[in-house]
Amino acid sequence: MSNVHERLRRLLFLVPYVSKHPGVTVEALARALNISREDLLEELDLLTCVGRPPFNPDDYIDIYVDNDRVYVDLDQRLFAPPRLTAGEAAALAASAELLRPASGDALQSALQKLEHVLPPQVRERYREMYRKIDASTEAPQALGPLTRAILERREVMFGYASPGRAAEPRRVRPYELLSHRGQWYLQGFCHTRQDARLFRLDRMEDLTVTETPFLPPPDARADVPNPARSSSEASVRVRFSPVAAPYVKERFGQDARPLADGGVEVLVAGDSERWLTQWVLSFGGEAEVMEPVSARAAVARAARASIGL
Amino acid sequence: MDRTERILDLVALLLDAREPISWAELREHFPADYGGSDDAAERKFERDKAELVELGFPLTYVQGDDERRDGYIVDRDAYYLPEADLTKEELAVLYAAGSAALASGVFPGRDDLAHALRKIGFFAGESLPTPRVRMELGATQAGQEKEVSARLEQLWDACASRKWVEMSYASPKHPGTTQRKVDPYGLALRRGVWTLVGYCHLRGGLRTFHVHRVRELKANTARPRTPDFQVPEDFSLDNHVAYFPWQHRFHEPVEVVLRLSGALASRASGLFPGAVLEPVAEGGITLARLRVSFLDGLARFCLSLGADCVVEGPESARSRLREMAARVANRHADALEDKVSA
């Protein structure tokens, strides 16, 4: 899209926004439009030149900054933003698909209302464009209650099967949901363990949202532990065949060392034997742990176990 | 006059007009812009008009009669965004998903999405819920997000305007890159990876391309407002993108039965979505029947789940898993012997 188009969309929103929020600060307005303060002041400058013929003094948009606050005295009928374009509505609807199981009826009704406020002549184009993005990932059912619990700040209970153990009950303050490489995680404070924890949604069972309220900490962000990324503690050397090499190179980039036979070698963290074994096995024989020997043995044991040896 | 300024002036003029405005009048109002030869002025106005339509400005030309003159008129009611009367919950869903998609940095139609969120928030005032949903999408390597994001934006534009693209594509199956000309039909997100589905002129058929494997990308810029191709009526993205490791577009599916025990038994529905599940009477075991079009993918996935996942049948699937496991075991066998002998 051209810059002119982007700019016009912004300006046609800016004037009504100020009209609705007289005295909005320059900072807040810049944030609402996701542009810098300097760019915003430039846009305001341009707007003072906008008007309609015959361009008498009262025919111009009268928008100004006073004491770092923005006001509009004459909006020249720009008191509401334009309706959503087909592209805007389609992008919004497609993004909502990301949480489809989470949203249930609310998503369906929201999309219906959205379509209703589209100008009739763009509805068909909207439907056509909506079909062009498919983000209906395999988001698990648990996203629904968990999103609600996070928004309503209520504790949740579920059974959690940690690696190698049967499910046990947990009581958790849910802070944040996060999706990483197609896998969903809940980050929160676990009462059972008295510590911050990251839970995989696919290991939860019997989820219930309790009536117990809580106050979330201001900034609760977790990173998914990714052994493939934490190269500082990388201690396990894994070698890949030429068949698997291109896929490994895609993920590791420069960290994948090329070998003479066309394969590659990488170093990964060895603190989770379970992760390492699973990962190596998922290459179905195209990966080999070179060292340490304890990790080689773990992979061998796991492979033998899966054929009943 | 600056083009942005001129188009905004046109908006102000047309929103205020009570009568249709003729082309002759427009030329009088903007002598410096629509001056010059008739042809040049008309072409310039045509471009401005196209931009107005693109912005959602409901502009029409009316033929005059005894009562009314010829000219351009705008349907004001169709211009202004009305209140959509979204409930708090509906707004929360759209906001949570939309802002998570934006924050991921990797979503097609980012600009469109940002504007859409602003607009639906216009009437909501300060009461917008703050979602806590984060998604990492589309990039396989850290630091790749920016590139993938830019490609998605280009592809979104090309999909929307139905223009072909030329790209160099790095498939892990072949060394180097291939040059492809593709009619982009749509974009799908599966397991955190964005896939382009389209008609590949090189292969003469529908193909899928992972967006992070697209190296260079150029859309056809000739005749930007004329589509280059039609998407077939019966086309559906979903039919062309594999969801799970055990799916493949080109292979015939077979039914595979898996026996899940231990901690896997209760996780069966999450691990194998779409499978028909059947708890075994003695308890603690679930049988999962699954349609599989890619046995190697299934075998690798089952192998990574460990000994609690066993393939019951058919024999072809059993033997594929056994072969793979044996291969892994053999490659690492010396470690076990070392351990035993130590």
Side-chain angles (χ1 to χ4, degrees), chain B residues 221-278:
Chain B
T221 50
R223 295 152 55 86
R225 297 191 199 280
T226 312
D228 292 332
F229 58 88
Q230 292 290 330
V231 180
E233 277 289 310
D234 58 351
F235 172 77
S236 148
L237 277 171
D238 200 41
N239 293 343
H240 298 278
V241 198
Y243 271 88
F244 303 111
W246 53 87
Q247 290 179 330
H248 195 288
R249 292 176 302 130
F250 293 134
H251 300 173
E252 278 302 304
V254 292
E255 192 184 81
V256 173
V257 182
L258 304 169
R259 183 186 174 85
L260 303 166
S261 55
L264 298 184
S266 57
R267 289 172 52 202
S269 65
L271 289 170
F272 297 99
V276 178
L277 303 179
E278 183 192 324

Side-chain angles (χ1 to χ4, degrees), chain A residues 22-284:
Chain A
V24 60
T25 63
V26 171
E27 275 331 306
L29 184 58
R31 208 168 39 241
L33 294 165
N34 195 24
I35 54 174
S36 69
R37 188 188 164 88
E38 292 67 41
D39 286 348
L40 172 60
L41 294 176
E42 222 171 276
E43 301 295 44
L44 292 174
D45 265 353
L46 172 84
L47 281 172
T48 57
C49 306
V50 171
R52 58 168 190 270
F55 300 108
N56 291 324
D58 280 355
D59 294 332
Y60 286 95
I61 290 177
D62 188 6
I63 192 164
Y64 57 94
V65 181
D66 183 21
N67 208 4
D68 215 43
R69 289 176 178 276
V70 191
Y71 301 87
V72 57
D73 278 356
L74 289 170
D75 61 19
Q76 303 304 346
R77 293 186 186 272
L78 295 174
F79 49 78
R83 292 183 185 229
L84 275 76
T85 65
E88 289 165 0
L92 186 62
S95 78
E97 291 286 343
L98 291 168
L99 298 181
R100 181 175 271 291
S103 38
D105 297 344
L107 174 66
Q108 216 43 51
S109 55
L111 291 184
Q112 266 164 21
K113 289 182 185 176
L114 204 63
E115 192 170 331
H116 196 72
V117 298
L118 286 181
Q121 66 274 20
V122 309
R123 274 182 209 159
E124 186 157 336
R125 187 158 155 71
Y126 154 74
R127 283 190 214 114
E128 182 203 322
M129 286 180 75
Y130 181 23
R131 280 199 298 271
K132 289 181 196 282
I133 308 184
D134 178 353
S136 57
T137 41
E138 59 278 22
Q141 291 299 324
L143 272 188
L146 286 174
T147 327
R148 214 169 54 238
I150 292 172
L151 274 174
E152 294 171 9
R153 300 171 169 188
R154 293 195 282 153
E155 293 186 354
V156 292
M157 284 170 68
F158 50 83
Y160 194 70
S162 37
R165 268 187 276 180
E168 46 178 13
R170 304 286 188 110
R171 191 180 181 98
V172 173
R173 296 180 165 181
Y175 294 157
E176 189 185 44
L177 281 163
L178 106 102
S179 146
H180 170 77
R181 299 178 75 92
Q183 187 64 254
W184 281 92
Y185 299 83
L186 170 72
Q187 199 255 322
F189 181 84
C190 176
H191 283 297
T192 320
R193 293 280 184 271
Q194 280 300 305
D195 200 5
R197 282 284 191 276
L198 200 62
F199 301 97
R200 271 174 61 155
L201 263 59
D202 65 347
R203 297 215 182 104
M204 292 178 181
E205 44 185 72
D206 303 326
L207 173 71
T208 50
V209 181
T210 71
E211 295 297 324
T212 315
F214 70 92
L215 260 186
D219 188 25
R221 271 178 80 93
D223 283 319
V224 178
N226 183 352
R229 269 187 206 165
S230 56
S231 51
S232 58
E233 286 159 39
S235 57
V236 179
R237 198 152 58 88
V238 187
R239 188 170 279 196
F240 295 87
S241 72
V243 179
Y247 299 92
V248 177
K249 272 193 261 182
E250 258 193 345
R251 185 161 169 200
F252 285 80
Q254 297 298 316
D255 294 334
R257 200 170 64 83
L259 301 172
D261 68 348
V264 289
E265 196 174 85
V266 299
L267 284 173
V268 293
D271 45 2
S272 167
E273 189 181 280
R274 183 169 172 277
W275 172 82
L276 182 78
T277 336
Q278 277 197 353
W279 188 59
V280 171
L281 285 169
S282 73
F283 286 90

Side-chain angles (χ1 to χ4, degrees), chain B residues 23 30 32 39 52 59 66 70 73 79-80 87 113-114 123-124 133 142 160-161 173 208 259 262 281 283 287 295 337:
Chain B
W23 171 227
F30 299 94
D39 263 14
L52 284 168
L59 186 67
D66 293 348
D70 287 2
I73 194 155
Y79 171 73
Y80 296 115
T87 64
L113 182 55
F123 295 106
V133 182
S161 49
K173 293 189 190 100
T208 60
R259 183 186 174 85
L287 288 184
L295 277 185
E337 283 156 20

